[in-house]
Amino acid sequence: MYIPGLDVRLTARYGLAILRIVLGIAMALHGWSKLSGGVGGVAGFFGSLGIPAPELMAWVVTIVELVGGILLVVGFLTQIAGILILLDMLGVILFAFLLQGQPFINENGWISWEKEAVFGAAALCLALAGPGIWSIDDVVADSRTIT
């Protein structure tokens, strides 16, 4: 059902921009907290989860979240950043939850990995639909159609 008078063909670009900017801020903050808190601590945690090459993966995840988040905020390489963040979130869900025996709803009734699922779904939406308005990608795409 559509809201009368609200044409999603005109407003979808704004919705995508809001999604991109909010997800970008959230991911950049996650990456910054890993970097400022010490990537060595992240590597230790990754090792305890059984993640292969925990030192390397700690740096990869930190960079994906920090740089990918910044790229989303400005809307540059949005689809690539979206794919990398999706893979990051799938890794979190797999290694930190599923392989640790935590289902989506645990034995106490708590939802365990909804934030990671929402972040991953938002990243996938941006990878599939693009950055929306107010993005470097949008400006570059517009400049290519003019020539």
Side-chain angles (χ1 to χ4, degrees), residues 23-24 36-37 49 53 66 70 77 89 100 116 127 129:
L23 179 63
S36 63
L49 295 175
L66 179 61
I70 293 168
L77 302 174
M89 293 299 104
Q100 305 305 314
E116 292 79 6

Side-chain angles (χ1 to χ4, degrees), residues 5-141:
L6 183 64
D7 187 348
V8 295
R9 293 171 295 183
L10 300 175
T11 60
R13 293 170 40 122
Y14 297 97
L16 286 168
I18 293 166
L19 179 66
R20 173 179 51 80
I21 293 165
V22 171
L23 179 63
I25 291 168
M27 294 311 303
L29 289 173
H30 279 268
W32 178 252
S33 72
K34 287 174 177 64
L35 185 65
S36 63
V39 179
V42 176
F45 176 65
F46 282 7
S48 75
L49 295 175
I51 294 175
E55 295 83 11
L56 173 64
M57 291 312 297
W59 277 105
V60 168
V61 166
T62 300
I63 291 167
V64 164
E65 292 178 2
L66 179 61
V67 175
I70 293 168
L71 289 173
L72 287 182
V73 170
V74 299
F76 184 60
L77 302 174
T78 302
Q79 292 174 303
I80 293 169
I83 290 167
L84 292 174
I85 290 169
L86 170 63
L87 293 173
D88 180 6
M89 293 299 104
L90 290 174
V92 172
I93 292 167
L94 178 65
F95 285 103
F97 296 104
L98 297 180
L99 293 178
Q100 305 305 314
Q102 289 190 22
F104 188 68
I105 299 176
N106 68 21
E107 62 278 353
N108 298 324
W110 294 95
I111 300 172
S112 57
W113 43 271
E114 78 280 2
K115 176 184 68 176
E116 292 79 6
V118 170
F119 284 174
L124 179 58
C125 286
L126 293 170
L128 294 173
I133 201 162
W134 308 313
S135 68
I136 294 172
D137 290 338
D138 195 43
V139 171
V140 170

